[in-house]
Amino acid sequence: MADKLRIVFMGTPEFAVSSLKALLDAGEHVIAVVTAPDKLAGRGMQLASSPVKKFALEHGLRILQPEKLKSESFIQTLKELQPDLAIVVAFRMLPEIVWSLPKLGTFNLHASLLPQYRGAAPIHWAVINGETETGVTTFFLKHEIDTGEIILQQKVNIGSTETTGDLYEKLRQIGAILVVKTVNLIEKGQIKSTPQPNIMHLKLAPKIFKEMCRIDWGKSGAVIFNFVRGLSPMPGAFTIADGKVLKIYRVQFEPLSHQLPVAQVLIQDNKICVAVRDGFIVLLDLQAEGKKRMNASEWLLGNTINKLE
């Protein structure tokens, strides 16, 4: 361990667990893990730990869960740890007093090819926008979010039917490999970071809220298709069917000229087809309020749709 850096790892969701595991598997010296405080969750509203905390507990790592990242006690603890490097994967925005504290700085893993798709939901927006390629980037933190100097990048193809869930799994594994490669370069003193290029048309990836997930049946079939897969499985695209919320997780687009009004529903041969301006969206996986997710055939055994809004 003498030649290994003293690393503080910061992350919360499952996406970050892969990187933390990869660091441990590579023999890196993780001296502490910073993650979100436990929160009430589930129907029973029980305190639940983040995936990163659960993993850290299983591996005997020191865990810090500050409510406020600028608190004196948290900053003092970080100083006492004397970290050489901090690594951030899917965590909160850090104040400068935190990211500037490690001797060699702090780097972040971001699930896009920066500078494109800066923001909280890069995977979702890449799929929603119909991209065929994305990737992962490691970069040093600076004042402005997701703008620091790039260390490494790895491109990844997006399949034509892949959902955000599918892409999430690919990127978290590839990202974990990139995190370890980045640490290795820093340990060897071989880092050659480069400023992010200036691009005229930046695509951003803001946080997605529930009200943004409603399907607009007036859009083209291709746009709706990408929208649904870009929100699947979480938070899930939805429509209003007969006055109730109906979540849609998987669809198919069938281009076809027709004279039907937009959003008219046709049910035939166990298929639920919704008219859009350039064809039909076929609903494949859906979930009514208070019910489990089902495929169209299962759903039609006890349900129907008369009107979509």
Side-chain angles (χ1 to χ4, degrees), residues 162-295:
E162 276 190 335
T163 65
T164 284
D166 298 328
L167 187 56
Y168 179 99
E169 291 302 318
K170 284 203 304 191
L171 292 180
R172 75 186 182 107
Q173 298 300 331
I174 294 168
I177 295 170
L178 205 69
V179 164
V180 174
K181 287 182 177 179
T182 301
V183 172
N184 288 340
L185 287 176
I186 294 173
E187 286 176 335
K188 295 174 183 177
Q190 297 176 353
I191 282 293
K192 294 181 180 179
S193 59
T194 57
Q196 293 188 27
N198 292 317
I199 294 178
M200 287 286 291
H201 302 291
L202 280 177
K203 299 173 184 177
L204 300 180
K207 184 175 180 179
I208 293 175
F209 297 94
K210 181 179 178 180
E211 59 270 19
M212 299 164 64
C213 300
R214 186 169 178 172
I215 300 169
D216 180 355
W217 297 109
K219 300 284 188 181
S220 70
V223 168
I224 294 171
F225 173 75
N226 290 334
F227 184 75
V228 171
R229 69 190 182 101
L231 295 173
S232 180
M234 292 291 289
F238 75 92
T239 188
I240 303 299
D242 301 323
K244 295 183 179 180
V245 172
L246 180 67
K247 283 204 170 186
I248 312 293
Y249 295 100
R250 192 165 62 95
V251 299
Q252 181 179 316
F253 172 48
E254 297 183 353
L256 186 68
S257 179
H258 63 80
Q259 301 300 315
L260 295 174
V262 165
Q264 181 165 328
V265 181
L266 298 178
I267 298 176
Q268 54 187 19
D269 300 325
N270 279 333
K271 288 176 67 175
I272 307 170
C273 302
V274 182
V276 293
R277 67 190 193 206
D278 53 352
F280 291 91
I281 291 290
V282 182
L283 309 186
L284 302 177
D285 285 331
L286 54 165
Q287 183 177 16
E289 286 185 88
K291 297 186 179 182
K292 67 177 184 179
R293 176 174 170 174
M294 308 178 196
N295 62 43

Side-chain angles (χ1 to χ4, degrees), residues 44-217:
M45 294 301 287
Q46 299 293 315
L47 273 179
S49 300
S50 73
V52 164
K53 180 180 178 180
K54 291 175 183 177
F55 181 87
L57 284 171
E58 291 169 359
H59 291 78
L61 299 174
R62 182 173 181 178
I63 300 167
L64 305 175
Q65 294 178 277
E67 290 284 350
K68 296 181 179 179
L69 294 174
K70 289 184 178 180
S71 71
E72 290 184 13
S73 60
F74 175 60
I75 301 302
Q76 183 58 37
T77 299
L78 283 183
K79 288 179 178 178
E80 291 170 359
L81 285 169
Q82 297 182 320
D84 297 310
L85 179 70
I87 300 172
V88 179
V89 182
F91 194 56
R92 291 181 273 171
M93 180 175 146
L94 296 182
E96 182 176 359
I97 194 172
V98 173
W99 58 256
S100 64
L101 192 149
K103 183 166 58 177
L104 299 175
T106 298
F107 79 81
N108 178 247
L109 172 69
H110 188 74
S112 81
L113 296 174
L114 290 172
Q116 297 291 15
Y117 293 106
R118 292 171 179 160
I123 304 176
H124 292 83
W125 286 106
V127 179
I128 289 170
N129 289 338
E131 302 287 359
T132 59
E133 182 181 80
T134 185
V136 285
T137 303
T138 53
F139 68 98
F140 284 114
L141 291 191
K142 58 180 284 189
H143 289 284
E144 296 80 13
I145 296 175
D146 297 338
T147 61
E149 292 200 352
I150 292 171
I151 306 169
L152 293 173
Q153 290 188 316
Q154 178 67 53
K155 293 181 180 179
V156 177
N157 291 329
I158 304 175
S160 60
T161 62
E162 276 190 335
T163 65
T164 284
D166 298 328
L167 187 56
Y168 179 99
E169 291 302 318
K170 284 203 304 191
L171 292 180
R172 75 186 182 107
Q173 298 300 331
I174 294 168
I177 295 170
L178 205 69
V179 164
V180 174
K181 287 182 177 179
T182 301
V183 172
N184 288 340
L185 287 176
I186 294 173
E187 286 176 335
K188 295 174 183 177
Q190 297 176 353
I191 282 293
K192 294 181 180 179
S193 59
T194 57
Q196 293 188 27
N198 292 317
I199 294 178
M200 287 286 291
H201 302 291
L202 280 177
K203 299 173 184 177
L204 300 180
K207 184 175 180 179
I208 293 175
F209 297 94
K210 181 179 178 180
E211 59 270 19
M212 299 164 64
C213 300
R214 186 169 178 172
I215 300 169
D216 180 355
W217 297 109

